[in-house]
Amino acid sequence: MTSILRRKLDAGNFVVTAEVCPPKGCDCGEFREKSHALGKIVDAVNVTDNQGANVRISPLAPAALLLRDGIEPIMQLTCRDRNRLALQSELMAAAALGVTNVLALTGDHISFGDHPGGKPVFDLESVQLLQTIAALNSGRDLSGARLHGSTSFYAGAAAAPAAEPFEITLPKLAKKVAAGAGFFQTQAIFSPDCLARFAEAVHPLGAKVIVGILLLKSAGMARYVTNRVPGLKVPVDLIHELEDADHPLDTGVAIARRLVAAARPYCDGVHIMALGKEELIPDILAGLARDDDHD
Amino acid sequence: MIVSKQKPFTEILATLEPVSRIFLIGCAKCATVCKSGGEEQLWQMQEDLTAAGKEVTGSLVIDEACHMLRVQRDLRSKGEQVKNAEALLVLACGAGVQSVSTASDRLTVAGLDTLFLGNIRRFGQFEQRCSLCGHCILNETGGICPVTICPKGLLNGPCGGMDEGKCEVNPEAECAWCQIYQRLHDRGEQAPLSAANPPRDFSRNLRPGSLKLEK
């Protein structure tokens, strides 16, 4: 099975992705409804893995459910909760069920989540997880043993373009590409300058860049993100714009639309983080010339 | 050295609830430096236990409580006082407690929590720099250990949570990888980090560790 996301990116199409958080529990009804609505708008749906170190259903099952519904998943996989054996067996299981895209993540630290007393694993980290995926793709496990059938994952990685000092994050991005990352999905970006700097540094590495666009719903949320989320800083003028707005959500959509337009020349796609307002994604994408149709 | 901290007195007292006569043991090395099990703490413990209605039959500060033969010998030298006690309260690291529990048939009670192998910043301030992981990569990382200083133990650079050179887990702390890159940069070195570090070989520190020096 081959990744449609990869096919589109390789063909030079501009892609749109978004994420849906799987349920805390085994009832995936709402997850499927949300994803179904999203699937009509985006090229692939990210399925998060114990997001923010909070326990949820393993992304494997929801990713497989998406496939059943005809939606292409990007299964996120973190190293926080699984050792190298568990990561490999999870990847093989995902391949067997038809998952083709994996976003390899180290994962937020366990102290942020709902089980802060648990043991964080970090047996591997993102670069090594990418190497592991490459090994499985070549038909071998991490110890070099031959597998009964190899995987054919399209592997991606995360990037934080606004993190400072930027030059210190670069060697790791290069390692990620060298380890097999075909695409980056980035943290939310608010400044076209920062994006230009990132694109200039990353494009020579040869990976596709899918830029994170966060829908700012209010000035309060923008301030919260700035103060509380590592690596995210909403510029003051955007916060003022939201403060002065009669309808902050509309303004947030307008800002996101501007950011998408600013990002367009530098990237291969956008990853929209609408945080429950997924129905607004078409508005955010309005005006964007798309090169392909969604099926 | 091994950094340790006294358990809350109420917790120690609860563990000692079934006994009334207690012999106290401290350690002259790490627990003394940590002020968790030296002479002073033993005196204080004796005072507190007495006030709580317990009888302290005697006390002993062992030169190195981790030294099993020495513990055996020193306990023998306090024969009567140890024999009169129903329990031995040990204010030493976990290794010291187990030297004692191996050397004596008395109930052995641990009075400290053993925290980490620590460097001494200044008197009374300890920092973990080494995790005893069994495989030093300090020669490649400018002498700064990311296995210990990065809360995720990352081997290939900072995580996505690094910002302004600070750590995502503790924004007061400097990101280990920022320190490493800075130090290597200052020395004009960079090459050793351009290739990815492979997964750690955890078989090098499988527990329990043991080492026998060849003659």
Side-chain angles (χ1 to χ4, degrees):
Chain A
M1 232 157 317
T2 54
S3 155
I4 301 169
L5 179 72
R6 171 181 227 158
R7 205 190 63 209
K8 288 178 177 170
L9 283 168
D10 284 349
N13 293 344
F14 190 78
V15 301
V16 179
T17 61
E19 68 191 30
V20 181
C21 189
K24 192 178 184 76
C26 54
D27 179 356
C28 290
E30 203 185 314
F31 168 84
R32 289 174 83 168
E33 265 171 44
K34 261 195 171 170
S35 306
H36 191 73
L38 258 186
K40 296 176 182 154
I41 310 168
V42 305
D43 297 283
V45 171
N46 282 56
V47 185
T48 55
D49 178 15
N50 288 343
Q51 191 171 353
N54 295 298
V55 167
R56 289 173 181 275
I57 193 171
S58 157
L60 178 59
L65 289 173
L66 288 190
L67 284 168
R68 219 191 266 177
D69 294 344
I71 299 163
E72 180 155 298
I74 300 173
M75 190 178 92
Q76 301 195 177
L77 192 61
T78 79
C79 299
R80 178 192 54 239
D81 311 319
R82 304 171 186 85
N83 72 359
R84 63 193 79 179
L85 274 71
L87 287 167
Q88 290 179 96
S89 71
E90 192 89 335
L91 285 163
M92 287 188 258
L97 290 169
V99 174
T100 51
N101 308 303
V102 177
L103 189 72
L105 303 169
T106 295
D108 296 323
H109 196 265
I110 202 162
S111 57
F112 290 105
D114 56 4
H115 289 66
K119 182 180 184 183
V121 181
F122 301 120
D123 181 19
L124 304 181
E125 30 103 305
S126 53
V127 173
Q128 296 158 351
L129 179 55
L130 287 161
Q131 290 172 333
T132 305
I133 293 168
L136 298 181
N137 280 350
S138 76
R140 295 190 181 270
D141 74 7
L142 205 50
S143 77
R146 195 175 285 283
L147 302 175
H148 191 63
S150 49
T151 64
S152 53
F153 287 118
Y154 185 40
E164 297 290 347
F166 178 63
E167 61 276 14
I168 283 172
T169 67
L170 276 178
K172 187 160 184 184
L173 295 177
K175 286 183 195 183
K176 285 180 173 179
V177 177
F183 66 96
F184 284 110
Q185 285 182 306
T186 79
Q187 267 283 28
I189 283 187
F190 300 103
S191 138
D193 290 347
C194 149
L195 182 60
R197 174 184 76 169
F198 177 77
E200 197 178 309
V202 168
H203 269 143
L205 300 175
K208 303 289 182 182
V209 174
I210 302 173
V211 167
I213 303 287
L214 177 68
L215 172 62
L216 297 169
K217 294 191 270 191
S218 66
M221 175 204 164
R223 275 191 293 266
Y224 179 87
V225 162
T226 301
N227 296 332
R228 296 293 180 83
V229 182
L232 286 196
K233 289 223 169 7
V234 182
V236 183
D237 53 328
L238 291 188
I239 297 181
H240 287 158
E241 192 178 337
L242 288 161
E243 262 165 358
D244 297 342
D246 291 332
H247 303 284
L249 188 57
D250 293 347
T251 304
V253 169
I255 291 172
R257 201 184 299 139
R258 279 201 323 255
L259 288 169
V260 170
R264 180 69 184 92
Y266 298 109
C267 64
D268 307 289
V270 283
H271 178 66
I272 314 271
M273 292 167 261
L275 307 176
K277 294 284 177 193
E278 280 74 21
E279 69 276 11
L280 295 176
I281 293 180
D283 294 340
I284 295 171
L285 298 173
L288 180 70
R290 300 287 294 282
D291 328 72
D292 66 325
D293 297 321
H294 290 280
D295 37 27
Chain B
M1 63 163 230
I2 304 299
V3 178
S4 60
K5 190 177 155 196
Q6 255 185 38
K7 286 176 181 285
F9 183 67
T10 50
E11 196 184 318
I12 296 174
L13 206 54
T15 313
L16 291 170
E17 206 269 326
V19 302
S20 52
R21 294 187 309 280
I22 298 149
F23 184 81
L24 299 179
I25 299 169
C27 175
K29 290 293 189 299
C30 309
T32 292
V33 180
C34 290
K35 289 185 162 290
S36 57
E39 289 284 1
E40 270 177 61
Q41 290 73 46
L42 251 58
W43 281 115
Q44 187 62 50
M45 183 59 72
Q46 175 157 6
E47 221 166 86
D48 294 347
L49 286 174
T50 309
K54 304 283 184 190
E55 182 192 333
V56 174
T57 64
S59 67
L60 167 69
V61 176
I62 298 172
D63 193 31
E64 284 161 324
C66 51
H67 195 312
M68 299 175 84
L69 282 176
R70 180 169 295 155
V71 169
Q72 221 169 21
R73 197 185 61 207
D74 286 6
L75 280 182
R76 257 201 313 270
S77 75
K78 292 281 184 179
E80 279 305 303
Q81 295 177 3
V82 171
K83 217 153 86 191
N84 286 339
E86 298 158 274
L88 311 177
L89 174 60
V90 188
L91 303 183
C93 73
V97 172
Q98 292 179 75
S99 298
V100 173
S101 69
T102 305
S104 167
D105 57 0
R106 288 285 184 274
L107 170 67
T108 304
V109 174
L112 309 184
D113 286 320
T114 309
L115 304 178
F116 52 87
L117 166 62
N119 286 41
I120 304 170
R121 160 73 61 185
R122 56 174 69 91
F123 193 66
Q125 194 179 332
F126 309 100
E127 291 167 12
Q128 187 177 19
R129 296 293 178 93
C130 169
S131 301
L132 307 169
C133 78
H135 183 191
C136 274
I137 58 165
L138 290 168
N139 293 339
E140 296 143 55
T141 56
I144 295 167
C145 175
V147 171
T148 306
I149 294 166
C150 167
K152 298 177 185 174
L154 300 187
L155 296 182
N156 282 303
C159 75
M162 182 280 292
D163 196 25
E164 303 295 340
K166 301 294 184 194
C167 173
E168 114 178 342
V169 176
N170 174 11
E172 306 278 294
E174 267 192 68
C175 166
W177 279 98
C178 283
Q179 296 181 51
I180 291 168
Y181 280 116
Q182 190 59 51
R183 186 170 293 178
L184 292 179
H185 176 79
D186 293 348
R187 288 186 194 161
E189 292 172 31
Q190 222 156 26
L193 293 177
S194 55
N197 262 316
R200 274 166 71 197
D201 178 2
F202 284 88
S203 70
R204 289 179 185 238
N205 69 339
L206 284 183
R207 284 181 296 225
S210 71
L211 172 69
K212 218 176 221 175
L213 299 181
E214 304 280 333
K215 288 222 166 130

